Amino acid sequence: MRSDLNLQLLEQFVALARTKNFTRAAEELHLSQSALSRAIQKLEDQLGQPVFERKPREVVLTEIGELLLERAKHILQLMEHTFSELSEAGRRGRIRLGTIPTIAPYFLPGLLSSFAKKHPDIAVIVQEDTTESLIKRCNHGEIDLAILALPLLAKNLEVEPLFDEELLLVVPSGHPLASSKTVAIDAVEHFPFVMLNEAHCLTDNIASFCRRKAVQPVTVERTSQLATVQELVALDHGVSIVPAMARKIDTSVHRVYRSFSGEKPQRTVAMMWNSYRFQSKAVKSLMEHLRRQKQPK
């Protein structure tokens, strides 16, 4: 039995235990549902007892399944760490860094430049994606580290806040609100808003703040890029709320940024990683570098 109990079979078992559903687990593993079912049946035949209790809409681990899950995770982690350590010993440092579009073009240039000066032998490969996708990819080991904004529903992942960042009102130059040093949140309610689409966590962050203040801005346009939001504001399509780091690199004279009076909307930038996976010396170096970063002015 032991010679037939290979790593691939353990990976399939762990995936099904996590998803509790043959269809979802099969999609994640890029297998047909029947192939996954045969693999689990083979595992149960080898053990001589069931590891899952089949229910109409999900599968639940049996007592022996719970025990196997604990051991299987340990075995897979040990093998991954071993191969990662061997690989790292024989090649140049490399980091797969994921980040969201509302952070990547504003925060990463300075971060990566200062990191490269200290660690010229480490290559950082940037992968920009939505929060939801980055969480999945971090879980699956497709990226080593991610920079995102809170809140995060990142089950089984480690999340560490880095800094808080103010969110600013941006209006076209010449706009009635441009003459004020600070703006009350209820003063913007009657102006049309240009926003990012719902796939971006920044949109949820702004909506949550507005709800707390009993403000309901009317969104007239949505886009997938923050730079497009800024350009539409400059063209007088509406006003918007953007991160302070976006203002830092904006040289346009056609937009004006203002803080809100009273409680200011903000977001918390954080880093996320999978503590169950091997962290190379290169990844740990970037994590320490991130911890020393301060909020962009």
Side-chain angles (χ1 to χ4, degrees):
M1 180 191 76
R2 285 177 292 180
S3 62
D4 292 335
L5 194 59
N6 56 47
L7 293 178
Q8 186 178 47
L9 199 55
L10 290 180
E11 289 174 344
Q12 293 164 351
F13 164 72
V14 170
L16 182 56
R18 183 177 64 253
T19 61
K20 299 181 180 181
N21 182 277
F22 271 97
T23 301
R24 290 198 296 271
E27 289 176 353
E28 181 179 305
L29 295 164
H30 304 291
L31 293 173
S32 67
Q33 188 172 334
S34 60
L36 178 59
S37 181
R38 288 194 300 271
I40 298 302
Q41 185 61 59
K42 177 181 178 182
L43 175 62
E44 291 178 327
D45 290 344
Q46 291 173 349
L47 294 173
Q49 50 191 315
V51 292
F52 290 107
E53 178 185 350
R54 276 72 166 174
K55 295 189 175 184
R57 294 188 177 181
E58 65 176 6
V59 293
V60 180
L61 286 167
T62 61
E63 185 176 350
I64 191 69
E66 292 281 2
L67 178 60
L68 178 61
L69 179 62
E70 180 182 346
R71 302 297 170 83
K73 284 182 175 180
H74 179 72
I75 291 168
L76 293 173
Q77 288 164 19
L78 180 61
M79 291 303 298
E80 181 179 353
H81 289 187
T82 299
F83 283 115
S84 295
E85 287 173 350
L86 291 172
S87 176
E88 184 184 31
R91 62 176 172 84
R92 180 173 179 251
R94 187 184 70 143
I95 303 170
R96 299 166 299 174
L97 176 64
T99 188
I100 55 178
T102 58
I103 289 178
Y106 312 106
F107 181 59
L108 288 193
L111 171 77
L112 297 182
S113 176
S114 59
F115 183 72
K117 290 178 182 177
K118 293 183 177 181
H119 304 278
D121 58 329
I122 299 176
V124 181
I125 301 169
V126 177
Q127 302 179 26
E128 188 178 299
D129 214 330
T130 62
T131 297
E132 182 180 2
S133 181
L134 289 175
I135 289 173
K136 291 179 181 178
R137 295 174 70 182
C138 196
N139 256 317
H140 298 165
E142 296 173 9
I143 56 174
D144 302 305
L145 188 66
I147 305 174
L148 320 91
L150 301 182
L152 294 173
L153 295 175
K155 194 174 181 180
N156 302 321
L157 297 175
E158 294 291 330
V159 177
E160 181 180 326
L162 295 171
F163 57 84
D164 294 329
E165 178 189 25
E166 184 181 354
L167 302 180
L168 303 172
L169 175 69
V170 56
V171 300
S173 57
H175 191 276
L177 297 178
S179 59
S180 303
K181 289 186 177 180
T182 60
V183 178
I185 184 63
D186 55 4
V188 306
E189 185 170 20
H190 303 295
F191 292 100
F193 261 70
V194 180
M195 298 287 285
L196 288 170
N197 59 40
E198 288 86 350
H200 295 271
C201 58
L202 179 63
T203 301
D204 290 336
N205 197 308
I206 295 169
S208 177
F209 177 78
C210 290
R211 283 194 298 269
R212 291 202 312 273
K213 297 299 180 180
V215 171
Q216 294 183 318
V218 177
T219 302
V220 293
E221 288 182 82
R222 289 189 182 274
T223 180
S224 60
Q225 297 293 329
L226 193 55
T228 306
V229 169
Q230 292 172 295
E231 290 304 317
L232 289 173
V233 168
L235 293 171
D236 203 14
H237 285 222
V239 303
S240 193
I241 298 175
V242 301
M245 62 175 66
R247 175 191 185 178
K248 182 181 178 183
I249 65 171
D250 189 359
T251 59
S252 173
V253 297
H254 302 295
R255 290 180 288 271
V256 176
Y257 296 84
R258 293 290 180 262
S259 291
F260 287 97
S261 57
E263 180 189 357
K264 302 183 189 306
Q266 65 177 26
R267 68 174 178 176
T268 300
V269 175
M271 63 177 171
M272 176 184 73
W273 70 97
N274 190 334
S275 61
Y276 292 102
R277 295 186 177 274
F278 173 75
Q279 273 89 49
S280 67
K281 291 180 181 178
V283 171
K284 290 178 180 177
S285 295
L286 180 56
M287 291 171 70
E288 285 303 313
H289 191 73
L290 274 164
R291 291 185 178 108
R292 293 191 290 269
Q293 300 304 302
K294 297 186 182 297
Q295 177 181 355
K297 300 296 184 184

